[in-house]
Amino acid sequence: MSPSRYTITAALPYTNGPIHIGHLAGVYVPADIYSRYLRLKGEDVAFICGSDEHGVAIPMKAKKEGVSPKEIIDKYHGIIKKSFAEFGISFDNYSRTSAEVHHKTASDFFKKLYDQDDFIEEETEQLYDEEAQQFLADRFVIGTCPKCGHEEAYGDQCENCGSSLNATDLINPKSTITGGVPVLKTTKHWFLPLDRYEDFLKEWILEGHKSDWKPNVYGQCKSWIDDGLKPRAVTRDLDWGIPVPVEGGEGKVLYVWFDAPIGYISSTKEWAKREGKDWKPYWTDKDTKLVHFIGKDNIVFHCIIFPSMLKAHGDFILPENVPANEFLNLEGNKLSTSKNWAVWLHEYLEEFPSMQDVLRYALTANAPETKDNDFTWKDFQARNNNELVAIFGNFVNRVAVLSHKYYNGVVPTPNTFTDLDKQTLQALKGFPEILSNSLERYRFREGSQELMNLARLGNKYLADEEPWKLIKTDEERVQTIMYVALQIATGLAVLSEPFLPFTSEKLKNILNIGSSAVEINWDSVSSSETLLPVGHQINPSELLFRKIEDAEIQQQLDKLEATKKVNAQMDKAVTPEKDTITFDDFTKLDMRVGTIVEAEKMPKANKLLVLKVDTGLDTRTIVSGIAESFKPEDIVGKKVTVLVNLTPRKLRGVESQGMILMTENQEGKLVFVNPDEDGVGNGESIN
């Protein structure tokens, strides 16, 4: 297939929080690499995205923060759009589903299917919160997953086993609004009968895309189709979203999974109007190649449900490919927005200014293309220091510095080419095809390493030829060596753009290319005999990458460790309240201030310390299970709270005559309930 144009979509991010590295690795970096590559090839590309602002997560976030849903979407739409722009994600249009063009497009889409009798209208029983007096959207319900037993599954999906659910499937469901147990109540909705499209999906996916779709995508689709498809509601009882545009739809909105993918179409319309183009060929012409970039949690929606919607509508093309990635973990743990276990893009841009390409490269080189992968800050540092700095940056800096040192920055005239020169230049010409082969098959991780191999080629060539030594004995040979090295650097400047756009721009500025005098595209790297002509003036060198120090990485690790401690405290189960006692019961307790005067380990006992405590009444022996938290020598002289009228008890043959009061901090470490106030003496009663 040689398409006339490409429509590239990237999953619409929810505006209930910022963008993190999982989103980037799964969707936006690979989509941007692919779009930039196609533009370099001279293709007609519409790279489309926008904010998904109608998900139930939005009103949930609004309730939590005590603001309106509109305040939430405006806040995070601004953060997300700015972050994408600063990170170099080259969308042709970034819209939002609250836009008027989207409301009209989604409403018109629904009405066409409604008028064609493509929906089933049914009254069903759904979960209703009587205290809140509202039907519960799937994310407002939590309960036990019927498939894996996970006790915190949502009403639409179990995040533990990945199963798609209905809220009524949950065992012991609870409302996340009030915490109450919901009841079943009858309501009317419209359903898309996915079972009608099983034969179409079998032919289109299971037969038509068996060999060209990624195994993880194909396998998930096959599993769904083999299990048998069922009608799925396209409307819901909610006050946030696009109103159902037909009679009887009062108080209901379009289900977000129905309206969100239509956002690709409405965003394309918005772009085309601004650019004076016709939007229709990008969605209706069979010569257009449509590609969806998504994460694996969106496979069902983009490969089964949205294509069924498009098929029912009848006017639109279907996606040629849906190269979904798996998930990216962070330092061995699953990324979590709610638990702040993430590297947020807007924070990265502040903490590592002008280092967008380092994160792009690290995420691409470790992309979760076929399985879940793990991002670690140490690997990020190693990718930067050992590859971008030591290989790519080192080669470019050598070439630019030596060119200025020997020829005042003017491309020298080559002399006789040796076999190595010819082989090196021929190898350079082969890289566009090598990279294209990776990118056309959506193997971006492989492509990033092939790009680095081009830098390795240049480094090895210079290391083998050693022009800094030859300049003393064979100036003519050095002219040829530097000419060849400059051609490799120019090839790098062009071919690196999809992966490292900011670096590519810097390198083009150093080489003084991109002007009308020296214009080079993707294909010219392989077709042109000379990329950088003799006599061309280059600019002084500048460092493309800087080394990342250990202290910077430790700062990020400390930040995550602090998050882990906060989460541990939040997750820590609070001890249930004990049975109520009377005041008379309380007055029976005789608690006094005491001082530990001696402490030693109990023989053959890992947890016990034998303490001598001055209680003001006497000095008594108390055996305490605190040996794993305290060294004996560290607590001598420590003031403590002592329950003195506890019945004595023998522990390992030693009679214990009281109890030291302790609690635990958020790390689970024992802490003394401490009476260390000035003027409080031993024997003082605690009332």
Side-chain angles (χ1 to χ4, degrees):
M1 180 181 178
S2 299
S4 299
R5 69 196 64 77
Y6 289 78
T7 302
I8 312 299
T9 73
L12 307 185
Y14 278 133
T15 46
N16 69 326
I19 293 297
H20 59 57
I21 57 170
H23 302 129
L24 295 173
V27 178
Y28 304 107
V29 170
D32 188 60
I33 291 172
Y34 189 64
S35 298
R36 287 177 177 274
Y37 157 70
L38 291 173
R39 292 192 196 104
L40 276 171
K41 293 274 290 179
E43 302 290 356
D44 180 358
V45 174
F47 182 21
I48 301 298
C49 193
S51 293
D52 179 356
E53 300 175 329
H54 293 143
V56 73
I58 307 301
M60 285 180 73
K61 184 86 169 181
K63 282 179 183 291
K64 186 177 180 181
E65 296 190 9
V67 298
S68 70
K70 188 176 187 309
E71 287 176 275
I72 292 292
I73 64 173
D74 287 346
K75 172 185 175 181
Y76 288 111
H77 172 74
I79 291 172
I80 292 169
K81 187 174 182 179
K82 182 172 182 282
S83 296
F84 278 146
E86 291 181 357
F87 194 60
I89 304 297
S90 60
F91 296 125
D92 289 297
N93 200 59
Y94 188 82
S95 187
R96 54 194 307 188
T97 58
S98 61
E100 183 180 344
V101 64
H102 176 68
H103 275 240
K104 185 176 187 315
T105 302
S107 295
D108 289 347
F109 197 112
F110 180 91
K111 282 190 284 188
K112 184 163 195 270
L113 269 60
Y114 177 85
D115 291 340
Q116 294 174 175
D117 292 325
D118 287 314
F119 295 132
I120 299 170
E121 186 178 319
E122 280 187 3
E123 285 195 345
T124 62
E125 287 189 320
Q126 294 194 8
L127 296 177
Y128 183 83
D129 187 324
E130 292 181 306
E131 185 180 340
Q133 294 189 330
Q134 71 176 72
F135 283 97
L136 296 174
D138 43 35
R139 285 270 157 171
F140 282 124
V141 186
I142 197 167
T144 301
C145 174
K147 298 187 178 180
C148 74
H150 180 57
E151 294 182 353
E152 295 186 351
Y154 288 107
D156 61 342
Q157 187 177 38
C158 175
E159 294 188 350
N160 184 58
C161 68
S163 297
S164 181
L165 303 169
N166 291 311
T168 51
D169 296 334
L170 294 175
I171 301 166
N172 300 323
K174 288 185 179 179
S175 166
T176 62
I177 300 174
T178 64
V181 178
V183 299
L184 288 171
K185 189 173 179 179
T186 300
T187 182
K188 181 179 73 173
H189 283 292
W190 287 268
F191 293 75
L192 181 66
L194 293 174
D195 48 313
R196 290 183 191 172
Y197 303 94
E198 277 193 21
D199 290 342
F200 149 67
L201 292 168
K202 285 178 182 177
E203 181 181 350
W204 176 58
I205 300 176
L206 302 189
E207 296 176 21
H209 289 292
K210 189 172 186 177
S211 60
D212 63 331
W213 280 18
K214 293 171 71 172
N216 60 321
V217 178
Y218 183 87
Q220 193 174 134
C221 292
K222 187 175 188 306
S223 176
W224 265 71
I225 296 169
D226 288 348
D227 284 347
L229 301 177
K230 299 176 180 64
R232 194 175 181 99
V234 300
T235 59
R236 71 193 327 185
D237 294 289
L238 199 65
D239 59 0
W240 179 252
I242 299 174
V244 174
V246 296
E247 186 177 347
E250 298 78 13
K252 303 178 191 298
V253 298
L254 301 184
Y255 218 137
V256 67
W257 66 257
F258 183 87
D259 102 73
I262 298 171
Y264 299 137
I265 302 170
S266 60
S267 183
T268 307
K269 288 182 177 180
E270 189 177 76
W271 164 72
K273 183 178 180 180
R274 185 183 69 241
E275 300 297 323
K277 292 174 175 281
D278 181 5
W279 71 270
K280 287 185 177 178
Y282 293 89
W283 280 96
T284 64
D285 194 322
K286 293 188 184 302
D287 288 337
T288 297
K289 183 173 181 176
L290 172 62
V291 181
H292 296 311
F293 283 88
I294 58 169
K296 70 175 176 182
D297 53 338
N298 264 322
I299 289 173
V300 169
F301 297 104
H302 285 73
C303 298
I304 291 180
I305 298 174
F306 189 41
S308 296
M309 291 164 54
L310 296 174
K311 182 72 173 175
H313 190 285
D315 292 346
F316 297 105
I317 57 172
L318 299 172
E320 188 69 24
N321 213 314
V322 187
N325 273 357
E326 299 293 292
F327 289 153
L328 185 73
N329 297 321
L330 172 60
E331 297 288 349
N333 293 310
K334 184 178 179 181
L335 281 156
S336 173
T337 299
S338 61
K339 293 187 175 182
N340 195 32
W341 189 255
V343 176
W344 302 105
L345 177 55
H346 67 291
E347 291 183 358
Y348 174 87
L349 293 169
E350 291 172 0
E351 293 166 1
F352 292 91
S354 302
M355 296 181 71
Q356 298 96 322
D357 283 351
V358 180
L359 184 58
R360 286 177 67 109
Y361 179 74
L363 293 176
T364 305
N366 193 35
E369 292 179 347
T370 56
K371 62 180 179 63
D372 290 359
N373 269 0
D374 194 38
F375 175 92
T376 70
W377 281 108
K378 288 293 185 183
D379 179 71
F380 167 82
Q381 181 187 28
R383 295 283 184 188
N384 178 79
N385 293 354
N386 301 339
E387 296 176 31
L388 293 177
V389 173
I391 300 171
F392 195 120
N394 180 60
F395 169 68
V396 170
N397 188 57
R398 274 179 166 181
V399 172
V401 168
L402 293 178
S403 295
H404 276 277
K405 184 177 182 180
Y406 301 154
Y407 313 113
N408 295 318
V410 176
V411 179
T413 302
N415 295 294
T416 304
F417 289 116
T418 65
D419 287 344
L420 178 61
D421 299 334
K422 294 174 184 176
Q423 290 167 8
T424 302
L425 290 171
Q426 193 60 37
L428 168 61
K429 289 185 175 185
F431 270 92
E433 184 179 351
I434 291 170
L435 288 168
S436 290
N437 187 44
S438 296
L439 300 184
E440 296 283 2
R441 293 179 297 139
Y442 312 104
R443 296 185 178 181
F444 304 104
R445 185 172 62 197
E446 178 184 278
S448 71
Q449 298 313 294
E450 292 295 354
L451 177 69
M452 196 56 65
N453 284 339
L454 177 54
R456 288 188 177 96
L457 174 74
N459 256 334
K460 186 176 187 307
Y461 176 74
L462 284 183
D464 289 345
E465 295 299 293
E466 298 182 312
W468 46 87
K469 290 183 179 178
L470 277 177
I471 193 68
K472 300 172 184 176
T473 58
D474 194 344
E475 291 186 12
E476 288 191 358
R477 175 64 191 144
V478 171
Q479 285 180 220
T480 306
I481 294 169
M482 293 310 302
Y483 171 86
V484 171
L486 282 162
Q487 305 309 307
I488 298 172
T490 307
L492 266 178
V494 176
L495 300 181
S496 65
E497 183 180 333
F499 303 93
L500 309 168
F502 295 92
T503 304
S504 171
E505 188 63 29
K506 283 183 185 177
L507 183 46
K508 286 176 181 176
N509 287 335
I510 293 171
L511 296 173
N512 194 21
I513 61 175
S515 63
S516 56
V518 182
E519 189 71 46
I520 305 165
N521 61 29
W522 187 274
D523 291 331
S524 60
V525 175
S526 56
S527 61
S528 299
E529 287 303 316
T530 298
L531 296 178
L532 208 58
V534 170
H536 177 76
Q537 177 72 54
I538 71 169
N539 294 317
S541 179
E542 60 173 304
L543 289 180
L544 299 180
F545 307 99
R546 70 165 179 84
K547 187 179 179 184
I548 296 175
E549 302 297 336
D550 290 345
E552 296 175 83
I553 298 303
Q554 190 58 50
Q555 186 177 3
Q556 296 302 321
L557 293 173
D558 291 345
K559 194 163 138 184
L560 289 175
E561 190 60 33
T563 296
K564 192 179 288 185
K565 289 179 180 178
V566 170
N567 288 335
Q569 179 66 14
M570 292 176 66
D571 293 342
K572 183 180 173 184
V574 177
T575 304
E577 183 179 327
K578 295 180 180 179
D579 293 339
T580 302
I581 63 172
T582 66
F583 181 74
D584 289 341
D585 291 329
F586 174 73
T587 59
K588 293 177 184 177
L589 300 174
D590 189 352
M591 291 182 287
R592 308 269 179 151
V593 175
T595 301
I596 299 172
V597 293
E598 293 181 23
E600 62 181 6
K601 284 190 174 182
M602 170 78 79
K604 299 181 180 179
N606 294 329
K607 296 183 179 180
L608 300 179
L609 291 184
V610 180
L611 310 176
K612 295 286 186 183
V613 182
D614 179 357
T615 66
L617 303 172
D618 53 27
T619 298
R620 63 180 64 187
T621 299
I622 296 177
V623 179
S624 185
I626 61 174
E628 291 181 334
S629 297
F630 301 98
K631 295 178 180 178
E633 60 269 24
D634 292 340
I635 60 173
V636 172
K638 185 82 175 173
K639 278 191 174 181
V640 292
T641 303
V642 188
L643 180 61
V644 296
N645 65 334
L646 189 66
T647 302
R649 180 186 175 194
K650 278 197 174 183
L651 294 169
R652 302 227 172 196
V654 178
E655 185 174 76
S656 181
Q657 300 170 309
M659 179 180 289
I660 308 292
L661 271 61
M662 311 291 297
T663 187
E664 282 187 354
N665 65 12
Q666 64 185 36
E667 287 93 24
K669 182 183 177 184
L670 289 174
V671 177
F672 290 103
V673 177
N674 202 334
D676 272 346
E677 280 292 324
D678 291 339
V680 179
N682 291 347
E684 298 281 4
S685 293
I686 296 173
N687 301 314

